[in-house]
């Protein structure tokens, strides 16, 4: 029987913890994490907010009228509305470790770590999209 040992999960989660909106501090506030750079925190914030950024975008991309988005609850995401995923999202530093080696439950964490690059799995024309550039996809190569 194959299973994920508690030790394996602890080791893997040490490498990758899914971002949350807590990672989205106001620029003037203390970012709160001495181990991450400002760029890494912005990346984590964007990943956590990716489903809600449309709440604050203009034009046809705006989804504020979609009640399922509960846009009023995601104000921490507002400052990201003008950014492109490929400009701010960074792959985890240990992505090759997270996605490599024996399975031992790593596929779950690899999937979480690779989720921001899901656009790279779209047809080739997605690589011409400014939010899913070839360079961006290459940075997630271990996925």
């Amino acid at each position: 029987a194959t299973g994920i040992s508690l030790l394996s999960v602890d080791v893997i989660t040490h490498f990758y913890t899914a971002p949350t909106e807590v990672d989205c501090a106001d620029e003037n506030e203390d970012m709160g994490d001495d181990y991450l750079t400002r760029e890494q925190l912005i990346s984590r914030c964007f990943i956590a907010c990716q489903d809600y950024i449309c709440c604050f975008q203009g034009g046809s991309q705006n989804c504020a009228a979609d009640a399922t988005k509960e846009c009023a609850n995601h104000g921490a995401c507002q400052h990201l509305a003008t950014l492109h995923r490929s400009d701010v999202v960074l792959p985890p530093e240990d992505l090759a470790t997270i996605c490599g080696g024996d399975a031992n439950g790593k596929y779950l964490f690899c999937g979480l770590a690779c989720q921001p690059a899901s656009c790279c799995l779209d047809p080739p024309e997605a690589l011409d999209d400014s939010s899913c550039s070839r360079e961006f996809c290459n940075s997630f190569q271990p996925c």
Side-chain angles (χ1 to χ4, degrees), residues 57-122:
Q57 291 177 320
S60 64
Q61 295 179 334
N62 187 280
C63 64
D66 182 349
T68 64
K69 292 289 184 183
E70 299 181 352
C71 292
N73 296 329
H74 302 287
C77 303
Q78 185 171 2
H79 70 283
L80 302 170
T82 60
L83 302 177
H84 294 285
R85 172 184 29 222
S86 60
D87 294 335
V88 295
V89 173
L90 304 170
E93 287 183 22
D94 296 328
L95 187 60
T97 302
I98 294 167
C99 293
D102 58 28
N104 236 4
K106 288 186 179 184
Y107 67 92
L108 171 67
F109 295 98
C110 180
L112 287 172
C114 293
Q115 196 277 333
S118 61
C119 64
C120 299
L121 302 175
D122 290 341

Side-chain angles (χ1 to χ4, degrees), residues 1-10 12 103-109:
T2 60
I4 302 171
S5 73
L6 189 54
L7 180 59
S8 296
V9 171
D10 288 344
I12 295 167
N104 236 4
K106 288 186 179 184
Y107 67 92
L108 171 67
F109 295 98

